Amino acid sequence: IGENAFRGESALVSVKIPSSVTTIGSAAFANSTALTNVEIPNSVTEIGEGVFNGCDALTNITIPNSVTTIGERAFNGCRALTKIAISNNLTTIGTGTFTGCTALTSIEIPNSVTTIGSAAFSWCSALTNIEIPNSVTMIGDGAFDNCSNLESVKISEKLTILNRNLFARCTALANIELPASVTEIGEGVFNGCN
């Protein structure tokens, strides 16, 4: 599916992508504000940047195990997204991938993920707990910034640096397990946490 193929299609409610598709191009469904349901087949290996950016009616989505790459801001601003199942073959959750998904209550990060980009889950105000698997070796700045209902975090035992503003403004944060592997805590990591 090409870049911007269905961008801004306000009448588009449901999409079943055919199994002949291997790549969903950048911003393919961006700002399709009525889109509530998308079926992605096992043939898809790549979801481009901003594919579902601003699809604020999208409620849940399953990313099949065939997907190895998700572009930056792919689900940015999907305010109705409550649940997402992530591919077990995904290695990177990019910058801003789930920023502003204010209804997202939980997410399971698979053991295949090694990198979580900057602001990946920022402003996910409904998230209450997160477990970062031991496969993760790098988390970008502000990845969980402003997750105001985040209460509990378990961090990868392979993480050595907590980057800037990682958990800033997580006002409900009450329990966090810091592994012995952490050697550096960046500026403002817990800024604004009560």
Side-chain angles (χ1 to χ4, degrees):
I1 299 175
E3 291 183 12
N4 300 305
F6 299 97
R7 185 179 192 131
E9 291 292 332
S10 59
L12 193 61
V13 175
S14 182
V15 173
K16 183 176 182 179
I17 297 170
S19 60
S20 56
V21 173
T22 58
T23 301
I24 304 172
S26 296
F29 297 97
N31 301 315
S32 295
T33 55
L35 187 61
T36 59
N37 182 48
V38 178
E39 288 183 46
I40 301 174
N42 281 325
S43 58
V44 173
T45 59
E46 182 180 347
I47 296 174
E49 288 187 19
V51 168
F52 299 104
N53 185 15
C55 293
D56 52 13
L58 190 62
T59 55
N60 66 65
I61 194 161
T62 299
I63 300 169
N65 288 335
S66 57
V67 174
T68 57
T69 304
I70 297 178
E72 295 180 358
R73 300 174 305 284
F75 297 94
N76 182 33
C78 292
R79 296 182 304 208
L81 191 62
T82 57
K83 184 180 177 187
I84 188 158
I86 298 178
S87 164
N88 287 327
N89 291 311
L90 189 67
T91 58
T92 300
I93 296 174
T95 298
T97 299
F98 299 103
T99 294
C101 293
T102 55
L104 190 62
T105 56
S106 68
I107 190 155
E108 187 174 326
I109 299 171
N111 287 325
S112 57
V113 173
T114 59
T115 303
I116 298 173
S118 297
F121 297 97
S122 65
W123 294 91
C124 290
S125 54
L127 270 181
T128 56
N129 63 65
I130 193 92
E131 185 171 331
I132 300 164
N134 288 335
S135 57
V136 175
T137 57
M138 192 285 217
I139 303 176
D141 292 351
F144 298 95
D145 186 3
N146 243 310
C147 292
S148 55
N149 285 305
L150 188 61
E151 297 172 359
S152 177
V153 177
K154 184 174 187 287
I155 295 177
S156 165
E157 292 176 8
K158 295 197 176 151
L159 199 63
T160 58
I161 299 170
L162 299 185
N163 280 318
R164 192 172 43 139
N165 295 327
L166 186 58
F167 298 106
R169 293 170 286 281
C170 292
T171 53
L173 192 58
N175 181 27
I176 187 163
E177 294 178 41
L178 293 180
S181 59
V182 173
T183 59
E184 184 181 332
I185 297 177
E187 182 182 335
V189 168
F190 299 105
N191 184 35
C193 297
N194 294 333

